[in-house]
Amino acid sequence: MGIVLDRVAVPPLIDKLKSFTSRAVVPEEVPESFSSKLIFTIVLIDQLTKGYVNQNSDLLIKTVNIFPFLNFVFVTNTGVSFGLLSGLDITLYLGIISIIISIFLFRWLINSKDLVEAFGISLIIAGAIGNGIDRIIDGYVIDFIDIYYKSFHWPSFNIADSSITLGVVTYFYRNLTLKAK
């Protein structure tokens, strides 16, 4: 049955994790407040961090070393992921596309009955909105996180990019594990 603490049965951690992945499909809809609070929080953190970086760009142009594998830098990105297509004047269109994609993802989110799937979709929406706002208002996205190993630097990114990446990984992991069952 598990470990008993003060007359309350507590299943071992591994059993709890197994049961979480097998019962993440909830019988009713995912609470709207869950997704809306998550999206709002991530967009807020994304916008605040980019605003802070923008206000302190003079300090970050020279690169601020945080850990032996992490720098903070100041990069403006007018292209798509990793600066691709940055030579083209399409930033406003990319911002509008981000918002349109977010609207379609909202519809998908509303129909989701799976908490983990809803979490992943919410992360993707938050990242798309965060970068979409920047593209429409500023004409570029501020990237400031620089992860590296020795002389290899991954292209700089921001909180919104991290949110999109984590959301896509979560969504695909969840759907691949459901199909495997």
Side-chain angles (χ1 to χ4, degrees), residues 90-180:
I90 58 172
T91 305
L92 177 63
Y93 301 113
L94 292 174
I96 293 169
I97 290 169
S98 293
I99 302 303
I100 291 170
I101 289 172
S102 297
I103 291 167
F104 283 109
L105 287 172
F106 268 117
R107 289 189 52 131
W108 195 2
L109 176 63
I110 290 168
N111 294 324
S112 178
K113 304 273 189 251
D114 183 275
L115 188 60
V116 177
E117 179 181 80
F119 178 74
I121 295 169
S122 298
L123 291 175
I124 296 167
I125 291 170
I129 290 172
N131 282 342
I133 290 169
D134 297 338
R135 291 183 192 288
I136 291 170
I137 293 173
D138 300 324
Y140 57 85
V141 172
I142 294 176
D143 291 331
F144 61 94
I145 302 169
D146 173 35
I147 294 179
Y148 66 93
Y149 178 72
K150 295 186 180 182
S151 64
F152 174 76
H153 290 257
W154 187 259
S156 59
F157 57 96
N158 57 43
I159 302 297
D161 298 332
S162 301
S163 180
I164 293 169
T165 302
L166 182 59
V168 168
V169 168
T170 302
Y171 176 81
F172 280 111
Y173 170 77
R174 181 63 186 152
N175 284 292
L176 290 174
T177 57
L178 283 176
K179 287 183 180 178

Side-chain angles (χ1 to χ4, degrees), residues 60-74:
L60 297 173
I61 287 176
K62 294 183 180 179
T63 301
V64 175
N65 184 262
I66 306 299
F67 295 111
F69 58 89
L70 174 66
N71 292 328
F72 283 168
V73 297
F74 178 77

Side-chain angles (χ1 to χ4, degrees), residues 51-65:
Y52 179 81
V53 167
N54 194 34
Q55 289 178 347
N56 295 287
S57 61
D58 54 330
L59 300 173
L60 297 173
I61 287 176
K62 294 183 180 179
T63 301
V64 175
N65 184 262

